[in-house]
Amino acid sequence: MYQYDQFDHAMVAARNAEFKDQVERRLKGELSEDQFKPLRLMNGLYLQLHAYMLRIAVPYGVLSSRQMRTFAHIARTYDRDFGHFTTRQNIQFNWIKLADTPQILEDLAAVEMHAIQTSGNCIRNTTTDQFAGAARDEIDDPRPWAELIRQWSTFHPEFTFLPRKFKIAITGATRDRAAIRVHDIGLQLTDKGFDVYVGGGMGRTPHLGHLIRSGLPGEKLLSYLEAALRVYNRYGRRDNIYKARIKILVSALGPQEYARQVEEEWATLDQAQIDAPHAEIARIKSFFPQPAYADKAFDAAALDRAKAADAGFARWVRNNTLAHRRDDHVSVTISLKPTGLPPGDASSAQMDVMADAADRFAYGELRVSHEQNVILPHVAKADLYDLYRLLDQNGLSSANVGKITDMIACPGLDYCSLANARSIPLAQDISQRFADAELTDKIGDLQIKISGCINACGHHHVGHIGILGVDKQGEEFYQILLGGRADEQAALGVITGKGLSAEAVPAALERLIKLYLDLRTDETERFIDTVGRLGRDAFAGALHEPA
Amino acid sequence: MKLLTANRLTDGLVLWYAGGPDLSGWTEDAALATRLEDEAAAALLEDWKARETEVVAPYLVPLLDENTLVKREYVREHVRANGPTAGQTAFDTARQHQRGEVF
């Protein structure tokens, strides 16, 4: 993974010293809340429903065991012993004291992390495929490019006050695991360069991104992004917060006209001054080598015997591992979706266990996925059973990755000031309703995504089943969307019928799933495929018939 | 009738006005919040808005009667008064104060 150089260290140290001074001045009353609020937000510190929340960037979802232990330390020392992994590959702590924040940021800087640009109308943490550098279907590793964007976008003077926040996602594999089509800019690495998608997004007005350029050479990435951002910065709506994202501009201009303006702007730029030289790209790439793979003798028969003797282990291997570029390794997803607990949460003890697991079995490396799980990208098959037992002893062996209980859920009204409805209790109810592992295996791949408000932090627009919490005259209701997907066949879900009460949702989903199981051609036809084949209307009745 | 609520500057925790001239008159337990007449509540709100080294973002929570919030704000204020309804927090407000839920 990337290591800070003297410039990174100096920039973060200077920012932390500045913020420490600002906090002290706020506590003394030398700064008003109106003056201080934008300063704390620039450092990832929000005032939420119950307390301050600190959002820490995990750059493109990559972190070391040492960094994970620092999260555990923060949870234990400054918070209430847990953290929440988010849909943007970040981590949030929900119970932070203002006076502790400078020390927390110093603790983070010691392990080359920060909370800069995790809020505000700037370029946020670039996200990518959680299996980058490991997946068998990878064309090119997106991490060096994400790091290049991190360096270019951090403190970029021209893009600090954009019309609205700006989110970039990259994938380098044939399967899109980074949801690039619902980002402001989505980048698909191909063997010919980058395909550039612009104007995707969720929230109040969901759009899929439009392809505006194919085969952009990597060496030209930064200057092209600069041109794309410049057009947005110049013409994006600043008069209406609900129309300020780039998706609205691209929709208003039309993708072709927007692309033309980007090309025109790009032609005027001094590209050589902006683009990274070959040597710099090579330097950054040098930080992302393959691990020094251990040549551990793999006994396939022994693995089969362990699976035969332990059904839980067999299910975990089947559901939580992904083919690796090497035959003797796999990538392992640690599900943070145990039955009946908040999606994406991990205790400090669990964070320490995950760090230990990374050191013992995964070359010290972890990832965070936008599905709110933690990944060990490189695990020798020979170590799988030992890893499973370690995770199982610590409540981290839920074998439900990609299944109905592997839900995305935003914090919702339990924590968030913006939310209209709760997400976590609903996720817990659904999780308990579908707790039977044999049933979830029978249902197969199915993504439920829950948002507590229209901002769509829970990605409800691209859930196979999306759930949106709304407030109707002081009561929580949940609209159900069907047919969304965030992969390479990205599609937006459509609201199906009227909203349901929280109590009615699990039973409605049960009816929906029963109908799917009745209608699917065979067990290989996934829920999303059956909905695609028969249409959403075929399922609407099941959602809304009386229980 | 109204309640006055805010977040404490130093730690951001939710506070409820329970009488008195300074921060010691505020409580973390919503059950102990003073029910204020509208006029007095408005005056107190203006007073505390200016006291930014003590509390942040004060506002009034309207009540229909002694213990019933205006419907539109019910869910939000219920969660705010009682702590998260889910999660791994061992510090759920109601449990902390050894009583049932407020509102």
Side-chain angles (χ1 to χ4, degrees):
Chain A
M1 59 190 293
Y2 182 75
Q3 306 289 307
Y4 276 17
D5 61 16
Q6 71 270 29
F7 300 108
D8 292 293
H9 281 294
M11 279 198 299
V12 173
R15 169 55 83 90
N16 286 352
E18 178 184 65
F19 188 56
K20 184 179 181 182
D21 179 62
Q22 289 162 347
V23 169
E24 286 169 0
R25 287 159 61 206
R26 175 68 185 96
L27 290 169
K28 287 180 196 165
E30 294 168 9
L31 288 175
S32 70
E33 183 61 18
D34 282 347
Q35 290 168 324
F36 181 66
K37 184 178 176 180
L39 304 176
R40 67 168 159 77
L41 288 173
M42 285 177 189
N43 293 280
L45 191 67
Y46 291 72
L47 183 59
Q48 291 282 53
L49 203 61
H50 305 288
Y52 292 106
M53 179 271 280
L54 183 65
R55 179 183 293 152
I56 297 159
V58 181
Y60 36 92
V62 174
L63 73 162
S64 67
S65 56
R66 187 169 170 234
Q67 290 170 327
M68 181 66 96
R69 284 195 188 89
T70 297
F71 289 163
H73 155 73
I74 291 168
R76 203 165 24 239
T77 310
Y78 303 107
D79 202 275
R80 294 186 175 180
D81 216 28
F82 74 100
H84 177 74
F85 291 96
T86 79
T87 55
R88 299 229 68 254
Q89 299 183 315
N90 294 324
I91 189 168
Q92 292 177 179
F93 291 102
N94 289 303
W95 304 94
I96 296 299
K97 294 180 175 68
L98 177 58
D100 287 340
T101 310
Q103 185 57 55
I104 295 170
L105 295 177
E106 282 188 31
D107 293 350
L108 286 167
V111 293
E112 304 185 357
M113 298 196 98
H114 60 68
I116 296 162
Q117 289 185 201
T118 58
S119 175
N121 295 335
C122 55
I123 300 169
R124 304 286 189 89
N125 184 27
T126 296
T127 54
T128 191
D129 181 355
Q130 64 269 27
F131 301 110
R136 189 168 286 184
D137 67 333
E138 189 169 90
I139 300 157
D140 191 12
D141 189 342
R143 291 172 300 163
W145 302 106
E147 174 57 28
L148 188 67
I149 292 170
R150 186 192 73 83
Q151 295 187 22
W152 162 80
S153 63
T154 302
F155 299 135
H156 194 305
E158 197 176 335
F159 304 139
T160 302
F161 296 100
L162 293 165
R164 273 299 262 140
K165 59 182 128 177
F166 204 91
K167 298 173 180 178
I168 301 173
I170 312 178
T171 183
T174 53
R175 286 202 51 217
D176 178 6
R177 289 177 286 262
I180 65 167
R181 295 286 305 282
V182 285
H183 281 75
D184 296 294
I185 289 183
L187 298 169
Q188 168 76 58
L189 267 164
T190 72
D191 52 8
K192 297 182 180 69
F194 285 100
D195 288 350
V196 182
Y197 294 87
V198 175
M202 292 181 275
R204 188 174 301 265
T205 318
H207 284 275
L208 294 178
H210 302 272
L211 181 66
I212 64 163
R213 199 173 219 285
S214 287
L216 177 73
E219 297 75 20
K220 292 291 177 185
L221 177 64
L222 294 188
S223 60
Y224 194 82
L225 291 179
E226 187 114 356
L229 266 292
R230 274 194 161 199
V231 173
Y232 168 57
N233 206 16
R234 190 178 299 139
Y235 297 119
R237 295 277 300 268
R238 292 176 187 269
D239 61 320
N240 183 338
I241 192 172
Y242 303 118
K243 296 184 177 179
R245 295 291 288 267
I246 195 173
K247 62 192 176 187
I248 303 298
L249 176 67
V250 172
S251 178
L253 290 176
Q256 285 181 314
E257 172 58 17
Y258 171 78
R260 188 196 65 76
Q261 291 192 23
V262 172
E263 296 287 332
E264 192 176 72
E265 180 69 30
W266 194 36
T268 69
L269 292 174
D270 184 350
Q271 295 175 16
Q273 283 294 312
I274 300 166
D275 287 318
H278 284 286
E280 177 59 9
I281 294 171
R283 187 187 74 86
I284 291 174
K285 283 187 174 183
S286 74
F287 286 103
F288 298 94
Q290 287 294 295
Y293 291 112
D295 279 325
K296 293 187 178 179
F298 170 54
D299 182 348
L303 182 65
D304 288 342
R305 282 195 299 276
K307 288 196 286 189
D310 187 336
F313 174 60
R315 179 173 286 115
W316 180 81
V317 171
R318 192 167 59 245
N319 292 338
N320 291 40
T321 64
L322 184 81
H324 192 275
R325 58 170 56 193
R326 279 174 59 114
D327 289 339
D328 60 350
H329 278 64
V330 289
S331 297
V332 168
T333 298
I334 302 170
S335 168
L336 297 182
K337 318 292 171 56
T339 301
L341 289 176
D345 281 8
S347 68
S348 60
Q350 288 177 322
M351 291 181 210
D352 278 334
V353 168
M354 290 189 280
D356 291 346
D359 282 340
R360 284 178 61 189
F361 303 115
Y363 310 95
E365 195 179 325
L366 305 101
R367 310 281 175 81
V368 182
S369 71
H370 84 265
E371 287 99 350
Q372 301 176 285
N373 292 318
V374 171
I375 284 83
L376 301 175
H378 315 283
V379 176
K381 286 181 179 176
D383 289 330
L384 274 176
Y385 197 43
D386 288 343
L387 169 61
Y388 170 77
R389 284 189 298 191
L390 173 66
L391 296 175
D392 194 42
Q393 287 159 8
N394 291 280
L396 290 166
S397 65
S398 298
N400 59 349
V401 171
K403 303 295 185 278
I404 190 168
T405 53
D406 183 15
M407 285 169 277
I408 286 179
C410 71
L413 190 52
D414 276 307
Y415 292 98
C416 180
S417 288
L418 301 174
N420 295 318
R422 284 170 287 184
S423 304
I424 295 171
L426 184 60
Q428 291 175 296
D429 288 347
I430 296 167
S431 164
Q432 281 162 338
R433 179 69 66 119
F434 293 96
D436 180 61
E438 286 186 21
L439 174 63
T440 59
D441 280 359
K442 183 181 173 187
I443 294 165
D445 289 353
L446 200 163
Q447 296 175 342
I448 294 179
K449 303 186 179 186
I450 308 172
S451 299
C453 81
I454 197 76
N455 290 309
C457 295
H459 294 197
H460 64 273
H461 292 294
V462 289
H464 299 166
I465 300 171
I467 302 176
L468 167 63
V470 295
D471 175 316
K472 278 189 184 173
Q473 296 173 319
E475 288 192 44
E476 294 162 299
F477 282 87
Y478 295 88
Q479 294 178 331
I480 311 296
L481 296 82
L482 292 178
R485 54 197 299 176
D487 59 8
E488 62 282 357
Q489 298 176 57
L492 298 171
V494 174
I495 292 173
T496 309
K498 62 183 192 320
L500 302 169
S501 68
E503 296 74 29
V505 171
L509 294 184
E510 207 166 59
R511 291 193 300 270
L512 183 73
I513 298 306
K514 184 178 183 305
L515 182 61
Y516 153 64
L517 293 175
D518 290 343
L519 293 176
R520 70 183 180 182
T521 52
D522 58 39
E523 62 187 22
T524 65
E525 187 178 56
R526 299 172 307 165
F527 175 84
I528 190 65
D529 300 325
T530 309
V531 171
R533 179 169 59 83
L534 298 174
R536 298 175 184 93
D537 291 348
F539 293 89
L543 276 173
H544 298 286
E545 73 188 22
Chain B
M1 300 289 282
K2 290 188 169 71
L3 307 179
L4 176 59
T5 183
N7 295 77
R8 186 160 43 212
L9 171 66
T10 52
D11 58 13
L13 292 184
V14 175
L15 296 178
W16 303 84
Y17 180 75
D22 56 29
L23 198 57
S24 65
W26 291 71
T27 175
E28 291 177 27
D29 187 355
L32 303 178
T34 301
R35 274 65 179 157
L36 301 160
E37 296 294 343
D38 290 9
E39 209 169 297
L44 272 171
L45 176 63
E46 287 311 305
D47 180 27
W48 282 97
K49 269 184 182 175
R51 299 174 67 167
E52 287 199 319
T53 57
E54 295 166 284
V55 297
V56 183
Y59 67 97
L60 298 173
V61 178
L63 300 174
L64 285 178
D65 58 39
E66 281 294 283
N67 244 342
T68 310
L69 289 159
V70 165
K71 268 300 230 182
R72 191 176 54 77
E73 297 185 325
Y74 174 79
V75 181
R76 184 180 196 277
E77 300 309 336
H78 175 88
V79 173
R80 203 164 174 276
N82 293 286
T85 56
Q88 298 171 17
T89 56
F91 296 89
D92 170 80
T93 311
R95 199 176 307 159
Q96 184 182 339
H97 295 289
Q98 299 178 323
R99 55 152 174 76
E101 292 183 341
V102 179
F103 307 134

